[in-house]
């Protein structure tokens, strides 16, 4: 692709995201995107084939931008409580930037548009990958390391975060209370990390006893179950 073609494609991706934020998906069309991007609307079909394919590409493009924006901050987090504090700050930033509204509209549109469903899933997967790496790093120093599944927790956290963001639109106080509850769990996990070796071994023993009956696929790969 030529430099000018690449520049036009980028304009269309950014234009699609801006149109979604400013006008909503109901008013997002080839014409509105082209106007926002400052290009001829025929270029949408030349570069992407359809408006839906452009929106799908813009969804992944936008997620890549947002994840890149926070990657360095995620790498500096030293505890689960810091992770929750970061999540709250990011939540406020994303809502102010209009990204929460866009995500909600893409999730709704994805129910009937396969291309948008796949793209929204791919965008969320970028967040999940980053969160899994952080959780793996933070949990390793706690008694939960042998029992927690960072990949599963990352997906649960992403799903919860999406739900809380959408829930906030109808019940801000309830969404705030949900975040408070998550923060309490993070404080509990952090307290476990700060216990001495004997206390940590006692907790680990208890966890092994109570998780012995779990199906194998509910425990982290390779953790197994030790004997008493």
């Amino acid at each position: 692709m030529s430099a000018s073609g690449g520049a036009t494609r980028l304009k269309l991706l950014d234009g699609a995201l801006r149109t979604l934020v400013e006008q909503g998906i109901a008013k997002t069309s080839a014409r509105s995107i082209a106007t926002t991007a400052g290009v001829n609307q025929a270029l949408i079909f030349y570069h992407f084939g359809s408006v839906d394919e452009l929106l799908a590409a813009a969804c992944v493009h936008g997620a890549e931008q947002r994840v890149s924006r926070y990657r360095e901050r995620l790498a500096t987090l030293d505890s689960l409580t810091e992770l929750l504090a970061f999540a709250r700050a990011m939540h406020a930033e994303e809502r102010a930037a209009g990204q929460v509204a866009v995500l909600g509209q893409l999730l709704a549109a994805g129910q009937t548009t396969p291309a948008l469903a796949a793209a929204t899933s791919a965008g969320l997967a970028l967040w999940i990958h980053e969160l899994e790496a952080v959780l793996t790093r933070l949990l390793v120093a706690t008694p939960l390391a042998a029992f927690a599944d960072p990949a599963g927790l990352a997906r649960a956290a992403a799903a919860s975060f999406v739900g809380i963001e959408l829930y906030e639109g109808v019940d801000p106080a309830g969404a705030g209370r949900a975040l408070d509850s998550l923060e309490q769990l993070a404080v509990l996990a952090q307290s476990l990390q700060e216990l001495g070796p004997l206390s940590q071994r006692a907790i680990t023993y208890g966890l092994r006893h109570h998780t012995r009956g779990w199906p194998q696929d509910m425990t982290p790969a390779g953790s197994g179950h030790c004997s008493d």
Side-chain angles (χ1 to χ4, degrees):
M1 181 181 296
S2 66
S4 60
T8 298
R9 185 180 175 88
L10 184 59
K11 282 183 179 181
L12 288 168
L13 291 170
D14 290 338
L17 290 172
R18 284 178 53 203
T19 303
L20 284 170
V21 170
E22 295 169 5
Q23 301 185 41
I25 199 166
K27 295 183 179 179
T28 296
S29 63
R31 176 175 295 180
S32 61
I33 293 172
T35 298
T36 302
V39 301
N40 189 303
Q41 72 182 62
L43 291 172
I44 292 174
F45 304 97
Y46 175 77
H47 285 283
F48 295 96
S50 70
V51 173
D52 282 347
E53 291 297 333
L54 168 56
L55 291 177
C59 175
V60 177
H61 172 69
E64 290 172 342
Q65 287 185 316
R66 306 311 293 182
V67 169
S68 177
R69 174 184 177 88
Y70 298 112
R71 184 171 287 122
E72 287 187 6
R73 287 163 63 181
L74 283 167
T76 64
L77 300 177
D78 291 326
S79 68
L80 292 172
T81 51
E82 285 187 13
L83 177 59
L84 260 295
F86 161 80
R88 285 201 155 188
M90 185 185 71
H91 169 80
E93 290 179 28
E94 293 296 284
R95 176 167 285 281
Q99 298 303 313
V100 175
V102 168
L103 178 59
Q105 293 177 74
L106 289 172
L107 286 168
Q111 303 301 309
T112 56
T113 307
L116 289 181
T120 305
S121 177
L124 287 172
L126 294 173
W127 285 106
I128 290 168
H129 175 76
E130 295 293 328
L131 185 54
E132 181 180 346
V134 175
L135 286 170
T136 299
R137 177 169 56 81
L138 296 182
L139 288 170
V140 72
T142 76
L144 302 176
F147 309 96
D149 174 13
L153 286 173
R155 284 159 177 78
S160 298
F161 194 68
V162 169
I164 288 172
E165 288 185 325
L166 299 178
Y167 181 38
E168 187 175 42
V170 296
D171 185 0
R177 187 171 180 179
L179 286 171
D180 288 341
S181 295
L182 290 175
E183 191 166 320
Q184 290 168 1
L185 290 175
V187 170
L188 175 60
Q190 184 66 27
S191 298
L192 292 178
Q193 183 177 348
E194 295 170 356
L195 293 174
L198 289 177
S199 296
Q200 289 203 16
R201 282 199 293 272
I203 292 172
T204 300
Y205 176 87
L207 288 171
R208 284 175 177 154
H209 176 74
H210 289 292
T211 60
R212 179 169 296 148
W214 286 5
Q216 189 62 34
D217 60 0
M218 290 182 64
T219 56
S223 65
H225 296 294
C226 298
S227 61
D228 292 346

